[in-house]
Short mmCIF file of all heavy atoms in Angstrom, two decimals:
data_model
loop_
_atom_site.label_atom_id
_atom_site.label_comp_id
_atom_site.label_asym_id
_atom_site.label_seq_id
_atom_site.Cartn_x
_atom_site.Cartn_y
_atom_site.Cartn_z
N ALA A 1414 45.92 10.54 -16.64
CA ALA A 1414 45.78 11.50 -17.76
C ALA A 1414 44.40 11.29 -18.44
O ALA A 1414 43.96 12.19 -19.11
CB ALA A 1414 46.90 11.33 -18.75
N LYS A 1415 43.79 10.13 -18.23
CA LYS A 1415 42.48 9.90 -18.91
C LYS A 1415 41.27 10.38 -18.00
O LYS A 1415 40.16 10.37 -18.45
CB LYS A 1415 42.33 8.42 -19.14
CG LYS A 1415 43.25 7.89 -20.18
CD LYS A 1415 42.90 6.41 -20.45
CE LYS A 1415 44.06 5.77 -21.12
NZ LYS A 1415 44.28 4.36 -20.71
N MET A 1416 41.61 10.81 -16.80
CA MET A 1416 40.52 11.15 -15.90
C MET A 1416 40.00 12.61 -16.09
O MET A 1416 40.85 13.48 -16.28
CB MET A 1416 40.98 11.09 -14.44
CG MET A 1416 41.63 9.85 -14.15
SD MET A 1416 40.72 8.99 -12.93
CE MET A 1416 41.40 7.38 -13.16
N ASN A 1417 38.75 12.79 -15.99
CA ASN A 1417 38.15 14.13 -16.07
C ASN A 1417 37.94 14.68 -14.65
O ASN A 1417 37.99 15.87 -14.43
CB ASN A 1417 36.88 14.18 -16.88
CG ASN A 1417 37.22 14.08 -18.36
OD1 ASN A 1417 38.29 14.54 -18.80
ND2 ASN A 1417 36.30 13.44 -19.11
N ALA A 1418 37.61 13.78 -13.74
CA ALA A 1418 37.27 14.22 -12.39
C ALA A 1418 38.55 14.64 -11.66
O ALA A 1418 39.66 14.18 -12.02
CB ALA A 1418 36.65 13.06 -11.62
N PRO A 1419 38.45 15.57 -10.69
CA PRO A 1419 39.62 15.95 -9.93
C PRO A 1419 40.23 14.69 -9.26
O PRO A 1419 39.51 13.76 -8.85
CB PRO A 1419 39.08 16.91 -8.86
CG PRO A 1419 37.77 17.36 -9.35
CD PRO A 1419 37.22 16.29 -10.25
N ILE A 1420 41.60 14.76 -9.07
CA ILE A 1420 42.29 13.59 -8.55
C ILE A 1420 42.92 14.03 -7.20
O ILE A 1420 43.53 15.02 -7.08
CB ILE A 1420 43.42 13.16 -9.52
CG1 ILE A 1420 42.84 12.88 -10.93
CG2 ILE A 1420 44.25 12.05 -9.00
CD1 ILE A 1420 43.90 12.91 -12.03
N VAL A 1421 42.70 13.12 -6.20
CA VAL A 1421 43.23 13.40 -4.84
C VAL A 1421 44.41 12.44 -4.61
O VAL A 1421 44.22 11.24 -4.73
CB VAL A 1421 42.15 13.22 -3.81
CG1 VAL A 1421 42.65 13.53 -2.38
CG2 VAL A 1421 40.89 14.05 -4.09
N ILE A 1422 45.53 13.05 -4.27
CA ILE A 1422 46.78 12.30 -4.12
C ILE A 1422 47.35 12.48 -2.71
O ILE A 1422 47.35 13.59 -2.23
CB ILE A 1422 47.81 12.75 -5.19
CG1 ILE A 1422 47.24 12.37 -6.58
CG2 ILE A 1422 49.18 12.09 -5.01
CD1 ILE A 1422 48.00 13.06 -7.73
N TYR A 1423 47.86 11.45 -2.10
CA TYR A 1423 48.65 11.61 -0.87
C TYR A 1423 50.13 11.63 -1.28
O TYR A 1423 50.59 10.79 -2.02
CB TYR A 1423 48.41 10.40 0.07
CG TYR A 1423 47.13 10.46 0.87
CD1 TYR A 1423 46.67 9.37 1.55
CD2 TYR A 1423 46.41 11.67 0.91
CE1 TYR A 1423 45.52 9.42 2.36
CE2 TYR A 1423 45.21 11.72 1.73
CZ TYR A 1423 44.81 10.62 2.39
OH TYR A 1423 43.63 10.63 3.17
N GLU A 1424 50.82 12.67 -0.80
CA GLU A 1424 52.23 12.83 -1.21
C GLU A 1424 53.08 13.32 -0.06
O GLU A 1424 52.54 13.98 0.86
CB GLU A 1424 52.27 13.81 -2.43
CG GLU A 1424 53.58 13.84 -3.15
CD GLU A 1424 54.12 12.46 -3.52
OE1 GLU A 1424 54.72 11.84 -2.60
OE2 GLU A 1424 53.96 12.02 -4.63
N SER A 1425 54.33 13.04 -0.12
CA SER A 1425 55.23 13.57 0.90
C SER A 1425 55.82 14.85 0.39
O SER A 1425 55.85 15.10 -0.78
CB SER A 1425 56.41 12.55 1.22
OG SER A 1425 57.20 12.54 0.05
N SER A 1426 56.28 15.74 1.28
CA SER A 1426 56.78 17.05 0.90
C SER A 1426 58.04 16.84 0.06
O SER A 1426 58.28 17.63 -0.90
CB SER A 1426 57.06 17.92 2.11
OG SER A 1426 57.62 17.16 3.14
N GLU A 1427 58.86 15.84 0.33
CA GLU A 1427 60.12 15.60 -0.42
C GLU A 1427 59.82 15.31 -1.89
O GLU A 1427 60.59 15.62 -2.78
CB GLU A 1427 60.91 14.47 0.14
CG GLU A 1427 61.39 14.60 1.54
CD GLU A 1427 60.34 14.24 2.58
OE1 GLU A 1427 59.70 13.18 2.40
OE2 GLU A 1427 60.11 15.09 3.52
N ARG A 1428 58.69 14.61 -2.15
CA ARG A 1428 58.44 14.13 -3.52
C ARG A 1428 57.46 15.06 -4.27
O ARG A 1428 57.17 14.83 -5.42
CB ARG A 1428 57.82 12.72 -3.47
CG ARG A 1428 58.82 11.69 -2.87
CD ARG A 1428 58.21 10.32 -3.00
NE ARG A 1428 57.98 9.92 -4.34
CZ ARG A 1428 58.91 9.45 -5.17
NH1 ARG A 1428 60.12 9.29 -4.76
NH2 ARG A 1428 58.59 9.14 -6.43
N LEU A 1429 56.94 16.09 -3.56
CA LEU A 1429 55.88 16.91 -4.20
C LEU A 1429 56.34 17.50 -5.54
O LEU A 1429 55.61 17.42 -6.56
CB LEU A 1429 55.46 18.03 -3.25
CG LEU A 1429 54.39 18.93 -3.77
CD1 LEU A 1429 53.09 18.20 -3.97
CD2 LEU A 1429 54.20 20.12 -2.80
N SER A 1430 57.56 18.13 -5.56
CA SER A 1430 57.97 18.80 -6.79
C SER A 1430 58.04 17.82 -7.98
O SER A 1430 57.66 18.11 -9.11
CB SER A 1430 59.31 19.49 -6.58
OG SER A 1430 59.09 20.61 -5.77
N LYS A 1431 58.65 16.63 -7.68
CA LYS A 1431 58.80 15.64 -8.72
C LYS A 1431 57.39 15.19 -9.27
O LYS A 1431 57.21 15.14 -10.47
CB LYS A 1431 59.54 14.37 -8.18
CG LYS A 1431 59.43 13.14 -8.97
CD LYS A 1431 60.73 12.51 -9.25
CE LYS A 1431 60.68 11.31 -10.20
NZ LYS A 1431 60.03 11.52 -11.46
N THR A 1432 56.43 14.99 -8.31
CA THR A 1432 55.13 14.52 -8.79
C THR A 1432 54.43 15.68 -9.56
O THR A 1432 53.79 15.40 -10.57
CB THR A 1432 54.28 14.14 -7.56
OG1 THR A 1432 54.89 12.98 -7.02
CG2 THR A 1432 52.86 13.87 -7.84
N LEU A 1433 54.62 16.93 -9.17
CA LEU A 1433 54.01 18.07 -9.94
C LEU A 1433 54.57 18.11 -11.34
O LEU A 1433 53.87 18.30 -12.30
CB LEU A 1433 54.22 19.34 -9.17
CG LEU A 1433 53.36 19.56 -7.94
CD1 LEU A 1433 53.87 20.76 -7.17
CD2 LEU A 1433 51.91 19.68 -8.22
N LYS A 1434 55.86 17.90 -11.41
CA LYS A 1434 56.53 17.93 -12.78
C LYS A 1434 55.98 16.81 -13.67
O LYS A 1434 55.63 16.99 -14.82
CB LYS A 1434 58.00 17.84 -12.65
CG LYS A 1434 58.60 19.17 -12.24
CD LYS A 1434 60.05 19.21 -12.08
CE LYS A 1434 60.52 20.50 -11.36
NZ LYS A 1434 61.56 20.33 -10.38
N ASP A 1435 55.88 15.61 -13.04
CA ASP A 1435 55.36 14.43 -13.79
C ASP A 1435 53.93 14.70 -14.19
O ASP A 1435 53.47 14.41 -15.30
CB ASP A 1435 55.43 13.16 -12.96
CG ASP A 1435 56.83 12.65 -12.85
OD1 ASP A 1435 57.69 13.09 -13.58
OD2 ASP A 1435 57.13 11.82 -11.96
N LEU A 1436 53.10 15.31 -13.29
CA LEU A 1436 51.71 15.58 -13.61
C LEU A 1436 51.62 16.56 -14.80
O LEU A 1436 50.83 16.42 -15.65
CB LEU A 1436 50.99 16.19 -12.44
CG LEU A 1436 50.61 15.16 -11.32
CD1 LEU A 1436 50.22 15.88 -10.06
CD2 LEU A 1436 49.42 14.28 -11.80
N SER A 1437 52.51 17.60 -14.79
CA SER A 1437 52.45 18.52 -15.89
C SER A 1437 52.89 17.88 -17.18
O SER A 1437 52.39 18.22 -18.26
CB SER A 1437 53.24 19.86 -15.58
OG SER A 1437 54.53 19.64 -15.77
N ASP A 1438 53.82 16.93 -17.12
CA ASP A 1438 54.27 16.24 -18.32
C ASP A 1438 53.18 15.39 -18.94
O ASP A 1438 52.90 15.35 -20.11
CB ASP A 1438 55.47 15.31 -18.06
CG ASP A 1438 56.72 16.12 -17.84
OD1 ASP A 1438 56.74 17.31 -18.18
OD2 ASP A 1438 57.71 15.50 -17.30
N TYR A 1439 52.48 14.64 -18.05
CA TYR A 1439 51.44 13.66 -18.54
C TYR A 1439 50.10 14.34 -18.70
O TYR A 1439 49.29 13.88 -19.62
CB TYR A 1439 51.36 12.47 -17.61
CG TYR A 1439 52.51 11.60 -17.66
CD1 TYR A 1439 53.69 11.82 -16.91
CD2 TYR A 1439 52.54 10.45 -18.52
CE1 TYR A 1439 54.80 10.95 -16.95
CE2 TYR A 1439 53.66 9.63 -18.60
CZ TYR A 1439 54.82 9.89 -17.84
OH TYR A 1439 55.89 9.06 -17.89
N LEU A 1440 49.69 15.25 -17.87
CA LEU A 1440 48.32 15.80 -17.93
C LEU A 1440 48.33 17.10 -18.63
O LEU A 1440 47.24 17.66 -18.96
CB LEU A 1440 47.73 15.98 -16.50
CG LEU A 1440 47.05 14.75 -15.90
CD1 LEU A 1440 48.07 13.67 -15.61
CD2 LEU A 1440 46.34 15.12 -14.65
N GLY A 1441 49.48 17.71 -18.88
CA GLY A 1441 49.57 19.00 -19.61
C GLY A 1441 49.63 20.15 -18.62
O GLY A 1441 49.41 19.99 -17.42
N SER A 1442 49.89 21.33 -19.16
CA SER A 1442 50.13 22.48 -18.26
C SER A 1442 48.77 23.15 -17.90
O SER A 1442 48.79 24.02 -17.08
CB SER A 1442 51.07 23.45 -18.89
OG SER A 1442 50.58 23.80 -20.15
N ASN A 1443 47.67 22.74 -18.51
CA ASN A 1443 46.38 23.40 -18.29
C ASN A 1443 45.68 22.73 -17.10
O ASN A 1443 44.49 22.40 -17.22
CB ASN A 1443 45.54 23.37 -19.54
CG ASN A 1443 44.37 24.29 -19.44
OD1 ASN A 1443 44.40 25.19 -18.61
ND2 ASN A 1443 43.36 24.00 -20.17
N VAL A 1444 46.42 22.53 -16.05
CA VAL A 1444 45.72 21.86 -14.85
C VAL A 1444 45.95 22.79 -13.67
O VAL A 1444 46.99 23.50 -13.56
CB VAL A 1444 46.20 20.44 -14.55
CG1 VAL A 1444 45.73 19.45 -15.56
CG2 VAL A 1444 47.70 20.41 -14.26
N GLU A 1445 44.92 22.77 -12.81
CA GLU A 1445 45.03 23.51 -11.54
C GLU A 1445 45.42 22.51 -10.46
O GLU A 1445 44.98 21.40 -10.51
CB GLU A 1445 43.65 24.06 -11.14
CG GLU A 1445 43.02 24.99 -12.19
CD GLU A 1445 43.36 26.45 -11.98
OE1 GLU A 1445 43.74 26.74 -10.84
OE2 GLU A 1445 43.31 27.18 -12.92
N VAL A 1446 46.25 22.98 -9.51
CA VAL A 1446 46.50 22.06 -8.41
C VAL A 1446 46.18 22.83 -7.08
O VAL A 1446 46.18 24.05 -6.99
CB VAL A 1446 47.99 21.61 -8.41
CG1 VAL A 1446 48.26 20.68 -9.56
CG2 VAL A 1446 48.94 22.71 -8.31
N PHE A 1447 45.93 21.99 -6.05
CA PHE A 1447 45.67 22.51 -4.74
C PHE A 1447 46.53 21.69 -3.73
O PHE A 1447 46.56 20.49 -3.84
CB PHE A 1447 44.18 22.36 -4.42
CG PHE A 1447 43.82 22.86 -3.08
CD1 PHE A 1447 43.58 24.21 -2.85
CD2 PHE A 1447 43.67 21.98 -2.00
CE1 PHE A 1447 43.30 24.69 -1.56
CE2 PHE A 1447 43.32 22.43 -0.74
CZ PHE A 1447 43.17 23.82 -0.52
#
Side-chain angles (χ1 to χ4, degrees):
K1415 291 187 197 140
M1416 309 245 161
N1417 285 329
I1420 303 162
V1421 181
I1422 297 168
Y1423 280 169
E1424 192 50 278
S1425 68
S1426 41
E1427 299 81 48
R1428 298 185 60 83
L1429 179 66
S1430 290
K1431 161 129 188 56
T1432 292
L1433 287 170
K1434 282 178 193 141
D1435 287 344
L1436 284 166
S1437 78
D1438 287 348
Y1439 287 86
L1440 276 66
S1442 55
N1443 193 21
V1444 292
E1445 302 270 337
V1446 294
F1447 179 81

